[in-house]
Amino acid sequence: MNSESLSNIGLLKEIAELLNNETELDSMLSGALKKLIRGSSFTTGWIFFIEKEGSHELVSYENLPESLSDRQCEPMKKGGCWCVNRFRKGKLTKASNIIECQRIEQAIEENREDTDDITHHATVPLQSGDESFGLLNVAAPNKTHFTTDELALLESVAFQIGSAIKRILLTKKEQEVALIGERNRLARDLHDSVNQLLFSLTLTARGGAEMTGDEEVKDTFRTIQGLAQEALSEMRALIWQLRPHGLENGVVEASKGYAEMLGLTLETKVEGVISLSSKIEEVLWRVSQEALNNCKKHSGEKHILYTLKSESQLIHLTIEDRGYGFQYDGKQSLPSVGIQSMKERVKSIGGTLKIDSQLGRGTVISVRLPY
């Protein structure tokens, strides 16, 4: 066994140890790619995740030339290329030499930053069993062909990364199931204990007010009753958020029920035949919750327009009130933690959230998600 083979075995062992210890997708991909580049003849590398509908996302990269890392890696995030197109068509199943890199070619044509003498790259799919997640690409200066040993090393690393991706995704799914179970348990406990105590307090305060003839004491009991009823309403809203009744019938029905519980009237409109994944439905539900809570607290308007429709492989949700509105500038820092949370949830699955609001003219929240 030659020194290069021994070196490759040592590198694979290092990468395997890292993958075995990592529990987060981003740090796992970044760490594995870094070790591959530093421990081999490759000088740069990048990983694309590719969705079933064909869209690709740059999820990790190491030592990209300036021409590709320019403008926060914009050349890597837009447009198509040979390897991505082949992957989409199901024709890329093993490590392959690439004749040329279209992204580098375009950078040269546009006379952009330095390419580090990179013109070609090798590519290999990231797979686990029958599942494919994306591509691992590597390159080196003035290299137009990759040897059989280099491609074998690339395939071995890709296999390890693919298995790690699958493991982390399964773990995340198990955690989500456990979280839902814990939410349900907490909702039951709150309903059975705190909720019933608040209800009892409301009845006791009402009875106390009716039993006394002293007006000051009567007012005190009425104040206690009012506070207890307010707390009871807040507790019911919290229980609903933890375990939304009606979500099994769809996000629209759940939102209608939640709005009714808040004392709002939801005018709903659904366009197109919509069958939503649990991930999309969860995001839409949480955004709807936050938006309806804001309507209740700030808009001064009880009638809300709620529209959900599908269009051009997009899910479009709008929640509109014609209340007080507020001065909102998307370029400035976000006005509330709730709005920040909505934006982060939507962004986490590749969507966008837009807020249009003016004083005295109400507020429109618009969400677009890939479908």
Side-chain angles (χ1 to χ4, degrees):
M1 185 176 292
N2 58 38
S3 59
E4 183 178 352
S5 298
L6 289 173
S7 176
N8 287 346
I9 291 173
L11 175 60
L12 290 172
K13 180 176 180 293
E14 278 188 39
I15 292 175
E17 289 173 348
L18 179 141
L19 297 180
N20 188 54
N21 292 325
E22 283 290 349
T23 57
E24 295 297 328
L25 204 56
D26 290 345
S27 57
M28 180 273 287
L29 294 172
S30 176
L33 190 55
K34 193 183 296 290
K35 282 189 177 293
L36 173 62
I37 298 305
R38 292 180 178 179
S40 68
S41 60
F42 309 125
T43 60
T44 184
W46 59 96
I47 294 174
F48 288 136
F49 273 6
I50 304 173
E51 299 292 339
K52 290 181 179 179
E53 72 274 9
S55 61
H56 77 276
E57 177 187 3
L58 178 67
V59 293
S60 188
Y61 57 90
E62 180 70 17
N63 198 32
L64 283 178
E66 289 183 40
S67 56
L68 297 182
S69 60
D70 187 34
R71 292 165 292 168
Q72 296 183 320
C73 301
E74 185 178 325
M76 304 294 286
K77 297 175 181 178
K78 295 184 177 180
C81 59
W82 186 89
C83 59
V84 172
N85 292 337
R86 293 277 291 179
F87 180 91
R88 287 170 178 164
K89 295 176 182 177
K91 296 181 178 180
L92 195 53
T93 57
K94 62 180 181 179
S96 304
N97 278 298
I98 302 301
I99 297 174
E100 58 191 359
C101 177
Q102 290 175 259
R103 299 179 193 276
I104 288 285
E105 259 196 351
Q106 188 175 358
I108 295 172
E109 288 175 4
E110 296 175 0
N111 198 26
R112 294 205 304 266
E113 307 291 338
D114 192 3
T115 62
D116 292 350
D117 295 322
I118 290 173
T119 57
H120 299 67
H121 69 79
T123 187
V124 62
L126 299 174
Q127 300 171 316
S128 179
D130 295 331
E131 280 192 82
S132 296
F133 307 105
L135 293 172
L136 166 62
N137 292 337
V138 294
N142 303 308
K143 196 172 183 68
T144 60
H145 185 80
F146 297 85
T147 67
T148 301
D149 287 343
E150 287 173 325
L151 294 179
L153 171 64
L154 198 57
E155 281 195 330
S156 297
V157 172
F159 174 76
Q160 289 183 335
I161 293 176
S163 298
I165 292 172
K166 180 68 173 180
R167 172 180 58 81
I168 290 175
L169 291 179
L170 286 174
T171 301
K172 294 290 185 186
K173 189 172 182 179
E174 290 174 358
Q175 289 173 343
E176 288 175 4
V177 171
L179 179 59
I180 291 172
E182 181 61 18
R183 282 178 180 170
N184 289 338
R185 183 198 64 77
L186 182 57
R188 286 194 304 270
D189 290 348
L190 288 173
H191 181 272
D192 294 341
S193 56
V194 181
N195 203 47
Q196 291 183 8
L197 285 173
L198 288 172
F199 184 68
S200 297
L201 179 59
T202 301
L203 294 178
T204 302
R206 182 191 300 173
E210 292 175 353
M211 290 173 62
T212 183
D214 189 316
E215 283 302 318
E216 288 188 6
V217 174
K218 193 181 291 288
D219 286 342
T220 300
F221 274 122
R222 285 170 180 163
T223 300
I224 294 172
Q225 181 184 352
L227 290 173
Q229 286 177 329
E230 187 177 337
L232 185 60
S233 177
E234 291 286 340
M235 183 58 64
R236 284 172 176 165
L238 176 59
I239 291 171
W240 192 290
Q241 291 176 37
L242 289 170
R243 187 179 59 188
H245 300 287
L247 191 55
E248 65 275 6
N249 297 320
V251 68
V252 176
E253 289 301 313
S255 299
K256 284 174 68 175
Y258 188 62
E260 184 178 340
M261 190 270 302
L262 291 175
L264 303 174
T265 300
L266 211 61
E267 181 183 332
T268 62
K269 183 179 181 181
V270 179
E271 296 181 5
V273 179
I274 300 174
S275 177
L276 303 177
S277 69
S278 58
K279 183 182 291 186
I280 289 178
E281 198 164 62
E282 171 75 8
V283 169
L284 291 176
W285 163 242
R286 295 302 173 187
V287 168
S288 299
Q289 273 184 313
E290 185 62 37
L292 292 173
N293 280 330
N294 287 340
C295 290
K296 169 70 173 178
K297 293 177 182 178
H298 308 300
S299 74
E301 174 63 50
K302 292 188 176 182
H303 188 81
I304 313 298
L305 303 177
Y306 189 99
T307 304
L308 183 67
K309 61 182 179 180
S310 60
E311 53 179 19
S312 303
Q313 295 188 327
L314 287 173
I315 293 296
H316 187 196
L317 169 68
T318 57
I319 303 173
E320 178 180 0
D321 70 72
R322 294 168 184 167
Y324 300 135
F326 61 95
Q327 200 64 43
Y328 175 70
D329 184 354
K331 296 179 182 178
Q332 302 299 319
S333 59
L334 295 175
S336 78
V337 175
I339 293 177
Q340 175 70 45
S341 175
M342 285 194 290
K343 284 207 166 189
E344 288 177 354
R345 285 184 183 278
V346 170
K347 185 180 178 182
S348 71
I349 59 172
T352 59
L353 182 144
K354 180 182 177 183
I355 298 172
D356 183 12
S357 185
Q358 294 183 13
L359 289 173
R361 297 187 179 181
T363 301
V364 179
I365 292 177
S366 177
V367 176
R368 290 179 180 270
L369 300 175
Y371 179 42

